[in-house]
Amino acid sequence: KLYNTHRKLSGRTLFITGASRGIGKAIALKAARDGANVVIAAKTAEAHPKLPGTIYTAAEEIEAAGGKALPCIVDVRDEKQVNVAVENAVHKFGGIDILVNNASAINLTGTLETPMKKVDLMLGINLRGTYMTSKLCIPHLLKSKNPHILNLSPPLNLNPVWFKNHTAYTMAKYGMSMCVLGMAEEFQGSVAVNALWPKTAIQTAAMDMLGGPGIAKQCRKVEIMADAAYAVLSKPVSYTGQFVIDEDILRKEGIKDFDVYAVKPGHPLLPDFFLDEEPQKVQKLMEDQGATPAFKAVDEAAVSVRIADIFNVFKRRITTELVKSTQGVYKFELSGKDPGVWYVDLKNEGGSAGSGEPPNNADVVMSMDSDNFVKMFTGNLMPTMAYMSGKLKIEGDLSLAIKLEKLMALMNKSKL
């Protein structure tokens, strides 16, 4: 049974940014079951083609769970919209007791690959949005009996390994964590300000877009974050300035069985960003537990496979059905030992693959080291891990990149 509680949030008002789906909505539903009031401050008013849920569908779920809901169209970059939502919340529910800064944008790319528009988006939502929403809610929080701000952001781990592949994203997320550091001290004794971050990857629409279909079984469900948030928000104001990890706080609350939170109980879990020293250490930890990490060290013999061999296998494996179901042109820009440009066309006529520029415009361009490319296509490096650790750069249609996992499964059937 998931973390049991005694209606500690009954009648309290939570203002949650980005609550139309994922972790934000899970925290909202957890509070709603206590009979809390929830302000859903999020952007999605009309159904998104790729992402589930709107502020209105979330509001229906909150009411059905036993809470009261106020859906507000809010882009946290817009001061006026945040202000209006805060005023409406106070007017409808009489005040604000809890602010959850959950809204976040992610783009895991290096400095030269990140367009300024994306940098502005991440800094605007994660850092500035969190700061501004806190600033506008604090005057109301100060009137509450047990006010809390909870930012969904990581501990401030200054190891460069967490910066080098996605400096802009790390700066933006750490900006949220710096709000915790500063505001916890500034409002000590008046408002509790804490951060919460998952120990493992959590299955959300965002994670599915980042990691593709293979990622889910390595994740935990959003409920673990909802239960951990509930534990933090039930604490007194003196509990402040903490960088909480979901599993750690739940262990302290007496939870012993974490399998209930796993998407696939017993499957090795993918550790989340910002927590471990080095990816190698993560690998060792997983191996110590008898797991086989998705990014295991490579068999040197495999590296001797020539790139040309891989594309020859591709050619043999192309079927009209594969072309119909994929509908994409892939371009691979390889560097390192075997540099060159290769392509796989799974969109036009009967499909084709080979070296050089694709005969038709590429829908997705993937850049990586040739050794890592070989590791990927011989099953020794998951595209998910390659992307998340910065070994694989993707430009263009990310959903096509996700379909690559299926192509790899085909490749690995025919032993290279």
Side-chain angles (χ1 to χ4, degrees):
K1 187 166 166 50
L2 295 186
Y3 182 48
N4 199 5
T5 53
H6 304 287
R7 296 182 64 83
K8 292 175 189 163
L9 300 184
S10 174
R12 309 199 64 210
T13 299
L14 290 83
F15 190 104
I16 307 178
T17 67
S20 59
R21 63 180 71 93
I23 293 168
K25 188 180 82 173
I27 294 172
L29 290 172
K30 178 82 180 170
R33 288 182 203 110
D34 271 13
N37 310 316
V38 182
V39 183
I40 306 153
K43 267 194 316 193
T44 313
E46 285 162 31
H48 187 284
K50 285 183 188 166
L51 299 167
T54 68
I55 56 174
Y56 306 111
T57 58
E60 281 167 22
E61 288 181 59
I62 286 162
E63 302 265 351
K68 292 195 175 78
L70 175 64
C72 298
I73 298 174
V74 174
D75 179 336
V76 295
R77 293 170 294 174
D78 185 326
E79 188 173 0
K80 203 166 155 194
Q81 282 185 17
V82 177
N83 236 328
V84 168
V86 169
E87 279 168 21
N88 289 346
V90 173
H91 179 71
K92 177 160 182 167
F93 298 126
I96 297 171
D97 301 293
I98 291 164
L99 165 63
V100 180
N101 286 305
N102 163 73
S104 213
I106 182 168
N107 205 64
L108 299 173
T109 46
T111 303
L112 300 177
E113 293 79 31
T114 315
M116 280 316 295
K117 194 176 166 189
K118 282 272 164 66
V119 177
D120 292 341
L121 181 77
M122 289 189 282
L123 293 174
I125 294 175
N126 306 7
L127 188 157
R128 186 177 180 273
T130 295
Y131 182 90
M132 180 167 72
T133 309
S134 303
K135 177 182 167 69
L136 296 175
C137 284
I138 288 169
H140 303 286
L141 292 170
L142 288 168
K143 297 173 191 165
S144 165
K145 281 197 194 76
N146 189 32
H148 273 262
I149 295 177
L150 183 63
N151 294 353
L152 294 187
S153 66
L156 289 162
N157 180 350
L158 295 182
N159 185 330
V161 75
W162 297 117
F163 287 81
K164 66 172 188 179
N165 296 320
H166 38 74
T167 297
Y169 173 65
T170 301
M171 282 163 58
K173 280 315 273 190
Y174 281 15
M176 295 174 75
S177 302
M178 284 174 160
C179 285
V180 171
L181 208 58
M183 292 177 193
E185 199 67 21
E186 185 179 0
F187 298 101
Q188 198 160 25
S190 306
V191 181
V193 188
N194 296 291
L196 175 63
W197 194 247
K199 188 177 175 120
T200 70
I202 302 288
Q203 190 196 14
T204 60
M207 193 41 115
D208 289 341
M209 279 173 78
L210 280 178
I215 193 101
K217 61 182 183 289
Q218 294 178 280
C219 295
R220 280 178 174 159
K221 300 174 193 163
V222 287
E223 281 76 18
I224 190 168
M225 285 294 280
D227 286 359
Y230 187 97
V232 174
L233 300 173
S234 306
K235 301 255 185 246
V237 168
S238 55
Y239 185 88
T240 192
Q242 303 293 314
F243 290 89
V244 180
I245 303 299
D246 58 355
E247 185 180 309
D248 299 350
I249 193 167
L250 291 174
R251 280 193 192 282
K252 285 181 189 141
E253 295 288 316
I255 305 293
K256 290 185 175 66
D257 176 19
F258 285 86
D259 264 0
V260 288
Y261 295 116
V263 171
K264 190 177 177 190
H267 195 281
L269 296 160
L270 192 62
D272 203 7
F273 278 24
F274 307 117
L275 296 183
D276 275 281
E277 300 295 307
E278 299 283 345
Q280 285 86 331
K281 186 175 170 191
V282 172
Q283 176 182 336
K284 187 175 182 321
L285 283 174
M286 289 173 80
E287 284 172 346
D288 289 347
Q289 297 305 312
T292 314
F295 50 104
K296 57 185 184 280
V298 71
D299 168 10
E300 282 310 315
V303 182
S304 64
V305 172
R306 287 173 53 242
I307 308 285
D309 299 336
I310 292 175
F311 285 91
N312 285 335
V313 174
F314 253 138
K315 267 186 211 155
R316 293 201 302 273
R317 291 261 154 191
I318 294 173
T319 61
T320 47
E321 193 191 333
L322 190 61
V323 172
K324 214 156 75 185
S325 66
T326 310
Q327 283 301 292
V329 178
Y330 295 82
K331 177 176 161 184
F332 299 93
E333 292 181 344
L334 304 184
S335 55
K337 221 160 53 182
D338 290 307
V341 174
W342 299 79
Y343 72 91
V344 177
D345 182 342
L346 295 175
K347 190 179 192 176
N348 301 289
E349 290 153 6
S352 59
S355 70
E357 291 289 333
N360 299 285
N361 278 346
D363 298 299
V364 62
V365 180
M366 301 184 154
S367 323
M368 66 190 309
D369 179 87
S370 57
D371 279 357
N372 286 332
F373 177 83
V374 172
K375 288 176 197 178
M376 218 162 72
F377 280 93
T378 48
N380 289 300
L381 176 66
M382 293 281 284
T384 306
M385 279 310 297
Y387 178 61
M388 287 173 71
S389 61
K391 288 176 180 162
L392 167 63
K393 301 262 193 306
I394 300 173
E395 282 172 53
D397 187 344
L398 205 57
S399 64
L400 279 174
I402 288 165
K403 289 186 181 175
L404 191 67
E405 299 241 352
K406 288 179 188 150
L407 298 179
M408 322 273 279
L410 267 181
M411 296 292 294
N412 289 326
K413 273 184 200 153
S414 49
K415 284 290 169 227
L416 286 162

